[in-house]
Amino acid sequence: MTLNTEMQMPPTQINPLEEDTNTKPFSIWQDSFGRMMKNKLVVISLVLIIILLFMAIFGPYITPYDYLAQDLTKRNESPSAMHWLGTDQLGRDVFSRVIYGARTASLVSLLVVFLSSLIGLVVGSIAGYVGGKVDFVLMWITDLIMAFPYLILGVVISVSLRPPLTEWMEDRFLATGNPIFRQTSFVDVFIVIIVITSTAWPPYARLVRSQVMMVRGQNYVTAARALGLSQMKIVRKYIIPNSIGPVIVQMSAGLGSAMLTESALSFLGIGIRPPIPSWGNMIQDGLLVWRTAPHLLVAPAVVLGLMTVAFSFLGDGLNDALNPKQWK
Amino acid sequence: MIERKTILTVENLYKQFQVRLGAFGENKGTVHAVDGVDFDILRGETLGLVGESGCGKSTVGYTILQLYRATSGKIWYDGKDLTQLSDKQLRPLRQKIQMIFQDPYSTLNPRMTIGEALAEPILEHQTVPEKEVIPRVVELLGDAGLSSKCMDRYPHEFSGGQRQRICIVRALACNPEFIVCDEPISALDVSVQAQIINLLQDLQEKYNLTYLFIAHDLSVVKHISNRVAVMYLGKMAELGPKDLIFNNPMHPYTKALLQAIPIPNPHIEKSRTRELLTGDIPSALNPPAGCHFHTRCSHATDLCSQETPRWKQLPDGRMIACHLAVE
Ligand SMILES: Nc1ncnc2c1ncn2[C@@H]1O[C@H](COP(=O)(O)OP(=O)(O)O)[C@@H](O)[C@H]1O
Ligand SMILES: [Mg+2]
């Protein structure tokens, strides 16, 4: 085409290396990780969390005492070289029990967060992607559950589920003789997970929905449709990777709050029940004797508090690191 | 002029959006975004589509690609009416028709490397054997003026102009023959606009492409188009060969648009008579009866406010919708 127009176009000058000589390849995730590590509180939180996970996995194998071993000659002893965090009313080693409590807390909170984010992901992405009446109904249910107090739900579920489940376990034990069915703590853990999950998923659903609505309006999704990609591929390669950031943040904070809720339920006697240690039921035990043996209350409470704060700081750190607005 | 065959025909196309109005969405309204449009696009040409913002240009583009489903009308491509095809039937045809969007910043998936983004269309439509995918991606990057090192980078590491070049070659990756360019340079810095235009022209030559080039700026269209279509409030006002439209416009709206372009020579600029556009563009929610342009046209008669002008062909070959134009 000839340039006989008023608007003269200067000749193309595209330098292949223009502007791209000083940046080296790196992935967005590595980049986010690097930025996160600059925040001291986040690093401390991460260290605490790693210690917690280590305790949860290996704790029972490395503790000096068995968490159930009683020594009635040493009740409510103060911390000493033999018992770092003292002993409880039945003469059990508190340090070993706190460490076992980490296992309970981690197991419950990981499963709760996994399940509730999964439910939230499914409900939220359907609501956000399909929209219309489906969205309206799903969000109505979500809001209803979100408004429901978890303690009431906890009592209701616990009271209605525990007897039949316990009975079923006994039946199975009698039928099979398998000692695994004598572990009534499984029933407790199961019920706690159900209770917390059923009230923990709505915020994930809301979050995922708003993320999906935001992402699906982006040009890159339109361009993907113009390419003829299937809905499944668009959701998998475009919608989920771009909406997952805030969900990860929420999951981190959710781990902390699930631990707190598990402790609250166990404290009230509708969660994990003794003799299986949970920080919540240890705090409750400690409360009875807090004047004479305050360490029984302080030890689990401090660990619980630290973990909740650590997860919340990690969430904040992730939030800053994953926020696309901070990308240059 | 070279005789060209038609590649795509748009027939009596309507696209309406149902919207809710008022603070609480208490009222419903219908946006007449595209309000009966007919035109065809010839193989190998660039058809420029101009009009003020909000007149429905993008909607025409989106509807051609079936990203919006037409309210009524037909879009003929390759002997098929695209509006009648299901998503599944459309999938193979999508290889042939692609789009370049206005905003390159949001057109690339931030979580995909450039290499992945360019390979995706190739793999999806299997335009080359598997082991030639990477060489093809490198070739495309070369077309965009970027080195193969860019493959592992993410979109946020590139400037707006570079991103638009990437978007352009990505649209080309599946070997399309027709591309809708929706204001591809209006979101970019003036200094890189010419680059993009030149790239589009080079690629058109290299790959025998047909463009529908949407712009709100006549000067860009003048540079790149073979024919120009002018749209006003969801309807076509005038369409014809570029020289005819620019040198001898007949529709009062085309004249007004042309006179809004400043002329670099101050003597001519001062002495020319102007047909200025007065008033605002009416709302597409409630377009005026008769000729949509009559509320702003200084030549409007009673007929113009009552009867919609036909879309007719003049002896010189142009199409026009104006009561004042004689056949
Ligand atoms: N998805 C949509 N929903 C409702 N109204 C829309 C939608 N897309 C476009 N419109 C309306 O349709 C009209 C034409 O829009 P558009 O095609 O984007 O114009 P242009 O590209 O010429 O600026 C405008 O009034 C716009 O508000
Ligand atoms: Mg537009």
Side-chain angles (χ1 to χ4, degrees):
Chain A
M1 183 182 291
T2 50
L3 284 176
N4 57 351
T5 53
E6 288 143 29
M7 183 175 165
Q8 291 293 323
M9 293 287 175
T12 320
Q13 277 174 341
I14 301 176
N15 174 359
L17 291 177
E18 130 200 23
E19 297 166 56
D20 53 28
T21 42
N22 51 3
T23 46
K24 58 177 194 309
F26 58 85
S27 94
I28 277 179
W29 296 107
Q30 282 164 5
D31 187 32
S32 306
F33 187 73
R35 214 179 358 249
M36 203 173 78
M37 286 300 120
K38 293 203 184 93
N39 185 336
K40 283 211 184 61
L41 276 176
V42 175
V43 177
I44 295 172
S45 305
L46 207 56
V47 169
L48 279 176
I49 289 164
I50 289 169
I51 294 175
L52 172 89
L53 286 178
F54 184 82
M55 291 197 314
I57 298 168
F58 301 109
Y61 306 109
I62 54 174
T63 49
Y65 301 91
D66 185 272
Y67 66 94
L68 289 176
Q70 304 181 3
D71 183 350
L72 295 176
T73 60
K74 296 180 176 177
R75 295 166 59 179
N76 294 343
E77 272 187 12
S78 299
S80 63
M82 279 190 58
H83 298 282
W84 291 356
L85 293 177
T87 58
D88 68 4
Q89 302 93 311
L90 298 173
R92 295 171 298 195
D93 181 46
V94 174
F95 181 67
S96 305
R97 291 181 65 76
V98 166
I99 285 184
Y100 197 91
R103 175 175 273 206
T104 313
S106 309
L107 178 72
V108 169
S109 58
L110 284 173
L111 280 170
V112 162
V113 167
F114 173 75
L115 290 174
S116 47
S117 57
L118 196 70
I119 300 173
L121 208 64
V122 171
V123 173
S125 49
I126 292 175
Y129 202 73
V130 178
K133 287 205 178 69
V134 174
D135 177 31
F136 182 83
V137 172
L138 287 178
M139 282 305 112
W140 186 79
I141 296 171
T142 305
D143 286 344
L144 193 76
I145 293 177
M146 196 132 84
F148 207 83
Y150 75 88
L151 278 179
I152 296 180
L153 196 74
V155 173
V156 171
I157 293 182
S158 170
V159 165
S160 55
L161 270 187
R162 186 164 271 136
L165 274 176
T166 316
E167 204 171 304
W168 180 80
M169 294 274 284
E170 264 160 29
D171 285 353
R172 295 306 303 157
F173 175 69
L174 293 177
T176 63
N178 191 337
I180 207 163
F181 292 111
R182 298 237 75 171
Q183 297 277 345
T184 48
S185 59
F186 285 172
V187 175
D188 289 357
V189 170
F190 180 78
I191 286 173
V192 167
I193 289 171
I194 297 287
V195 169
I196 309 182
T197 302
S198 54
T199 50
W201 68 265
Y204 292 95
R206 281 229 151 259
L207 183 68
V208 170
R209 171 181 175 270
S210 68
Q211 282 294 108
V212 166
M213 288 182 128
M214 190 262 289
V215 169
R216 72 167 213 178
Q218 300 285 317
N219 272 346
Y220 52 77
V221 175
T222 316
R225 286 208 292 137
L227 260 185
L229 298 188
S230 65
Q231 294 274 3
M232 272 305 291
K233 263 191 198 159
I234 293 179
V235 170
R236 192 164 49 79
K237 292 172 80 175
Y238 289 74
I239 308 273
I240 290 180
N242 285 293
S243 29
I244 204 77
V247 181
I248 291 176
V249 174
Q250 170 109 0
M251 286 169 81
S252 168
L255 285 169
S257 60
M259 284 184 183
L260 205 57
T261 314
E262 179 265 303
S263 291
L265 292 172
S266 304
F267 178 86
L268 294 172
I270 51 177
I272 313 290
R273 290 169 308 170
I276 300 300
S278 145
W279 297 333
N281 64 35
M282 290 173 71
I283 290 173
Q284 205 228 357
D285 285 347
L287 208 56
L288 300 172
V289 290
W290 73 274
R291 278 172 200 280
T292 50
H295 62 278
L296 291 186
L297 177 62
V298 171
V302 166
V303 176
L304 173 63
L306 273 180
M307 288 329 299
T308 314
V309 172
F311 277 112
S312 136
F313 275 128
L314 181 70
D316 284 351
L318 285 168
N319 192 19
D320 292 343
L322 293 176
N323 189 350
K325 285 194 189 116
Q326 297 206 345
W327 298 347
K328 54 176 166 30
Chain B
M1 219 177 90
I2 330 150
E3 267 311 306
R4 298 182 197 263
K5 287 209 177 76
T6 304
I7 186 169
L8 186 117
T9 303
V10 174
E11 230 177 81
N12 206 17
L13 182 72
Y14 285 81
K15 176 63 197 176
Q16 296 165 359
F17 295 104
Q18 305 300 328
V19 290
R20 292 184 169 274
L21 304 166
F24 304 101
E26 66 272 28
N27 299 318
K28 282 185 182 161
T30 305
V31 179
H32 301 262
V34 177
D35 206 21
V37 156
D38 293 84
F39 63 95
D40 38 45
I41 299 170
L42 308 177
R43 192 172 285 277
E45 78 164 343
T46 299
L47 176 65
L49 179 60
V50 285
E52 283 163 286
S53 171
C55 71
K57 307 179 297 292
S58 298
T59 307
V60 168
Y62 277 66
T63 317
I64 289 177
L65 270 94
Q66 302 299 309
L67 296 171
Y68 291 157
R69 289 298 194 158
T71 306
S72 70
K74 295 185 190 330
I75 294 164
W76 293 102
Y77 172 79
D78 205 13
K80 299 185 188 86
D81 177 8
L82 299 185
T83 62
Q84 297 302 315
L85 301 182
S86 68
D87 284 348
K88 208 168 165 199
Q89 291 168 314
L90 277 169
R91 211 161 282 160
L93 288 173
R94 293 204 176 276
Q95 184 200 339
K96 295 289 169 200
I97 308 179
Q98 281 294 305
M99 183 151 180
I100 297 164
F101 297 86
Q102 181 170 357
D103 176 15
Y105 293 93
S106 67
T107 307
L108 291 166
N109 184 349
R111 302 263 175 212
M112 253 186 185
T113 63
I114 301 306
E116 286 165 356
L118 292 180
E120 187 172 48
I122 305 173
L123 292 168
E124 180 69 20
H125 293 287
Q126 298 177 350
T127 50
V128 300
E130 193 127 343
K131 62 179 189 298
E132 283 164 40
V133 171
I134 293 186
R136 174 77 178 127
V137 169
V138 173
E139 185 192 358
L140 287 166
L141 279 171
D143 283 340
L146 295 167
S147 79
S148 57
K149 281 186 286 181
C150 300
M151 256 199 277
D152 300 324
R153 306 267 178 81
Y154 285 86
H156 76 274
E157 300 172 58
F158 294 89
S159 68
Q162 289 172 323
R163 282 194 222 190
Q164 191 62 299
R165 284 172 1 221
I166 294 165
C167 291
I168 290 171
V169 293
R170 182 169 192 251
L172 285 179
C174 54
N175 305 339
E177 49 182 23
F178 172 56
I179 299 185
V180 174
C181 311
D182 187 6
E183 305 200 30
I185 61 172
S186 58
L188 300 177
D189 210 71
V190 183
S191 59
V192 297
Q193 290 187 347
Q195 262 183 18
I196 299 294
I197 295 290
N198 284 327
L199 176 65
L200 284 170
Q201 287 186 317
D202 293 346
L203 293 172
Q204 181 169 40
E205 210 160 292
K206 182 169 172 187
Y207 295 107
N208 279 324
L209 300 169
T210 306
Y211 289 149
L212 174 64
F213 189 96
I214 299 173
H216 62 253
D217 180 354
L218 269 171
S219 52
V220 176
V221 165
K222 182 168 188 179
H223 180 75
I224 197 171
S225 308
N226 304 90
R227 294 189 306 151
V228 173
V230 179
M231 238 183 124
Y232 183 80
L233 210 59
K235 280 186 175 301
M236 282 291 175
E238 192 168 8
L239 186 158
K242 173 176 73 179
D243 293 337
L244 209 54
I245 297 291
F246 277 84
N247 301 331
N248 183 19
M250 291 190 69
H251 197 288
Y253 181 60
T254 316
K255 288 183 189 168
L257 277 187
L258 277 172
Q259 283 163 5
I261 309 177
I263 294 176
N265 183 331
H267 294 294
I268 304 177
E269 172 73 30
K270 244 187 226 161
S271 63
R272 66 179 176 154
T273 53
R274 291 204 160 205
E275 184 140 1
L276 282 178
L277 280 177
T278 51
D280 286 333
I281 184 165
S283 164
L285 271 169
N286 191 10
C291 173
H292 283 183
F293 187 57
H294 84 262
T295 54
R296 296 165 86 189
C297 179
S298 49
H299 310 286
T301 62
D302 282 349
L303 181 65
C304 299
S305 57
Q306 284 152 14
E307 203 175 294
T308 308
R310 259 184 333 112
W311 180 234
K312 61 197 173 191
Q313 183 154 27
L314 298 192
D316 58 9
R318 86 179 76 202
M319 304 290 295
I320 193 167
C322 179
H323 289 301
L324 302 168
V326 271
E327 278 170 80

